[in-house]
């Protein structure tokens, strides 16, 4: 049997009857398949295409390229495998993102640590600030009684001639009150100065505006208290001198009044000149003389304890009354001695001195030695009082802010 042509197969069934239709269909099918195969080969040849894995009809399929291999192109150049290229591009995109995330995390960690450290430092600074507030409170244990004592001194009703009972000034009470606080003034001053230095040192490091304002108010509160101590001590020391002088002047002026009463009684007894009345007049004149000498000593003492106090007009008045009482005693002695000439002369001298004393009394006006002392005292402390009140107000305002800052305001 002749060899079959590759592209003309025959599909003849066994036991075929050899009908023309069956042979025709087989022949037509074979012809169509041959034609289609030839058409595919022509298209492939025309396009110059080569299958990746079948380079010949009889060759083995080429293995899939390894990851590290390249596929040779028609131009002789090589390109990365498409899978490798995709992986590398993916890695190149992932690595920078990971680096950025790591950097951001590191920065966030550093920032968090810095913020935590800053918060811890601010908390420590606030604790230090609160400790200074505690020192201010400790100082107030001294300043509160001191403040009460100071304000009592410049009470306008304290040094008045009519003050009696509880309102009467007391030198011993003032001395005791001052003694109770004076020993603590120096330590309090030192503490306040230390508070100012400590708060001013930490103030620039505070970051919160409210904390900064609290620090500023603490400095104001401490400095105002220092100024109050300065002005208050000056007022108390002035009051110590003025109070003692006031009491001396009061005693002296009372002695003058009592001496005048005794002198009037002596004069009244001389209206009827008998030996008994004259001796009684002598006794009253001696009493008046003793009281006037006491007054003279009181006024001198007042001027001595309160430098700048001038009681000249009262001293002159007392001097005239002393002389007149001495003349009255001389006249009484002349009467008892039956010395009419001396009696007349001493009586004339007495009358002249009493007239001069009366003129001096007119010039004294409504003032008395006590009022002169009080006027001098209130004038002397005027500037210190104004300063004390101003600093006291500043301290009060600062304290109000600090109470609110600490959450303890009423």
């Amino acid at each position: 049997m002749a060899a079959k042509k590759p592209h003309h197969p025959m599909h003849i069934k066994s036991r075929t009857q050899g009908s023309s239709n069956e042979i025709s269909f087989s022949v037509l099918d074979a012809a169509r398949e041959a034609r289609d195969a030839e058409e595919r080969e022509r298209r492939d040849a025309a396009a110059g295409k080569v299958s990746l894995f079948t380079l010949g009809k009889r060759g083995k399929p080429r293995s899939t390229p390894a990851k590290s291999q390249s596929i040779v192109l028609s131009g002789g150049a090589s390109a990365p495998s498409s899978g490798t290229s995709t992986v590398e591009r993916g890695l190149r995109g992932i690595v920078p993102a990971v680096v950025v995330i790591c950097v951001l995390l590191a920065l966030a960690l550093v920032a968090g640590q810095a913020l935590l450290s800053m918060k811890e430092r601010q908390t420590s600074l606030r604790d230090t600030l609160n400790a200074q507030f505690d020192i201010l409170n400790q100082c107030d244990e001294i300043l509160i009684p001191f403040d009460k004592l100071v304000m009592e001194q410049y009470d306008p009703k304290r040094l008045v001639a009519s003050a009696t009972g509880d309102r009467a000034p007391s030198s011993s009470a003032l001395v005791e009150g001052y003694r109770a606080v004076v020993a603590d003034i120096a330590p309090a001053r030192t503490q306040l100065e230390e508070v100012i230095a400590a708060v001013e040192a930490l103030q620039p490091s505070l970051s919160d505006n409210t904390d900064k304002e609290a620090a500023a108010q603490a400095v104001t509160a401490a400095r105002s208290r220092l100024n109050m101590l300065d002005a208050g001590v000056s007022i108390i020391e002035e009051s110590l001198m003025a109070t003692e002088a006031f009491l001396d002047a009061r005693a002296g002026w009372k002695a003058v009044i009592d001496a005048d009463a005794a002198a009037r009684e002596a004069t009244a007894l001389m209206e009827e000149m008998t030996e008994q009345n004259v001796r009684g007049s002598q006794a009253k004149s001696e009493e008046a003389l003793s009281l006037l000498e006491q007054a003279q000593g009181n006024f001198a003492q007042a001027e001595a304890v309160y430098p700048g106090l001038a009681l000249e007009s009262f001293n002159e008045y007392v001097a005239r009354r002393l002389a007149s009482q001495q003349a009255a005693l001389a006249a009484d002695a002349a009467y008892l001695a039956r010395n009419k000439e001396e009696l007349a002369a001493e009586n004339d001298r007495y009358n002249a001195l009493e007239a001069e004393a009366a003129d001096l009394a007119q010039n004294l006006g409504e003032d008395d030695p006590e009022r002169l002392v009080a006027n001098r005292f209130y004038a002397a402390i005027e500037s210190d009082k104004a300063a004390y009140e101003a600093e006291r107000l500043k301290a009060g305002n600062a304290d109000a802010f600090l109470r609110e800052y600490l959450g303890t305001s009423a």
Side-chain angles (χ1 to χ4, degrees), residues 79-403:
S81 167
S82 61
T84 303
S85 177
T86 301
V87 172
E88 290 180 351
R89 283 197 300 270
L91 289 175
R92 284 196 298 269
I94 291 172
V95 170
V98 171
V99 171
V100 170
I101 291 172
C102 291
V103 170
L104 291 176
L105 288 174
L107 290 175
L109 180 61
V110 171
Q113 290 176 340
L115 181 61
L116 180 61
S117 177
M118 183 178 68
K119 286 184 177 180
E120 291 176 349
R121 173 160 174 73
Q122 291 301 308
T123 300
S124 176
L125 291 173
R126 278 191 291 270
D127 290 342
T128 303
L129 188 60
N130 289 336
Q132 303 311 307
F133 298 156
D134 292 338
I135 296 175
L136 283 177
N137 287 332
Q138 293 172 10
C139 291
D140 280 351
E141 294 178 4
I142 301 165
L143 286 169
I144 289 174
F146 176 82
D147 177 63
K148 182 176 181 291
L149 184 63
V150 170
M151 289 192 295
E152 287 175 351
Q153 305 318 302
Y154 59 73
D155 183 350
K157 296 181 180 179
R158 181 171 180 269
L159 296 182
V160 292
S162 60
T164 58
D166 294 338
R167 301 295 303 180
S170 171
S171 180
S172 60
L174 174 56
V175 170
E176 288 301 319
Y178 188 44
R179 186 177 296 164
V181 297
V182 68
D184 296 322
I185 289 177
R189 189 189 300 276
T190 300
Q191 285 183 309
L192 291 170
E193 290 172 347
E194 290 175 351
V195 167
I196 292 173
V199 175
E200 286 181 339
L202 66 85
Q203 193 171 5
S205 300
L206 294 171
S207 60
D208 184 80
N209 288 334
T210 303
D211 294 340
K212 288 182 178 180
E213 181 62 21
Q217 292 294 337
V219 170
T220 298
R223 184 166 285 120
S224 294
R225 283 166 167 78
L226 277 176
N227 294 336
M228 286 172 65
L229 283 174
D230 291 337
V233 167
S234 180
I235 290 171
I236 292 174
E237 289 180 347
E238 189 79 18
S239 184
L240 285 168
M241 296 184 294
T243 300
E244 188 173 351
F246 181 89
L247 295 175
D248 286 332
R250 169 178 280 189
W253 190 238
K254 183 179 183 300
V256 169
I257 294 173
D258 292 343
D260 182 71
R264 289 177 184 277
E265 290 181 23
T267 301
L269 288 170
M270 292 299 292
E271 290 179 358
E272 184 179 353
M273 300 199 52
T274 64
E275 183 176 348
Q276 182 178 359
N277 287 346
V278 170
R279 293 191 184 280
S281 176
Q282 278 184 317
K284 285 299 179 181
S285 293
E286 288 175 353
E287 180 182 346
L289 188 65
S290 176
L291 288 168
L292 289 168
E293 289 174 345
Q294 177 184 331
Q296 195 174 49
N298 289 141
F299 292 157
Q301 179 65 20
E303 290 178 322
V305 299
Y306 200 9
L309 177 64
L311 300 176
E312 293 93 342
S313 58
F314 294 94
N315 285 325
E316 289 180 18
Y317 173 77
V318 170
R320 291 297 187 278
R321 295 303 301 273
L322 276 169
S324 70
Q325 292 307 304
Q326 289 170 347
L329 285 172
D332 292 339
Y335 174 82
L336 293 174
R338 301 294 190 267
N339 189 339
K340 294 182 179 179
E341 293 178 357
E342 186 176 352
L343 173 60
E346 292 298 333
N347 193 56
D348 290 341
R349 188 166 73 91
Y350 169 79
N351 290 331
L353 290 170
E354 282 293 304
E356 291 178 8
D359 290 339
L360 290 174
Q362 292 295 327
N363 294 331
L364 293 178
E366 296 181 356
D367 287 339
D368 55 42
E370 296 164 276
R371 185 169 299 178
L372 287 180
V373 173
N375 290 344
R376 171 168 172 71
F377 169 70
Y378 291 120
I381 68 168
E382 184 176 358
S383 60
D384 286 326
K385 176 189 173 184
Y388 189 86
E389 289 288 352
E391 296 300 333
R392 191 171 187 270
L393 179 61
K394 288 181 184 178
N397 291 337
D399 291 352
F401 180 91
L402 294 176
R403 283 194 297 272

Side-chain angles (χ1 to χ4, degrees), residues 69-83:
Q69 294 175 335
S70 299
I71 299 174
V72 179
L73 301 179
S74 60
S78 66
S81 167
S82 61

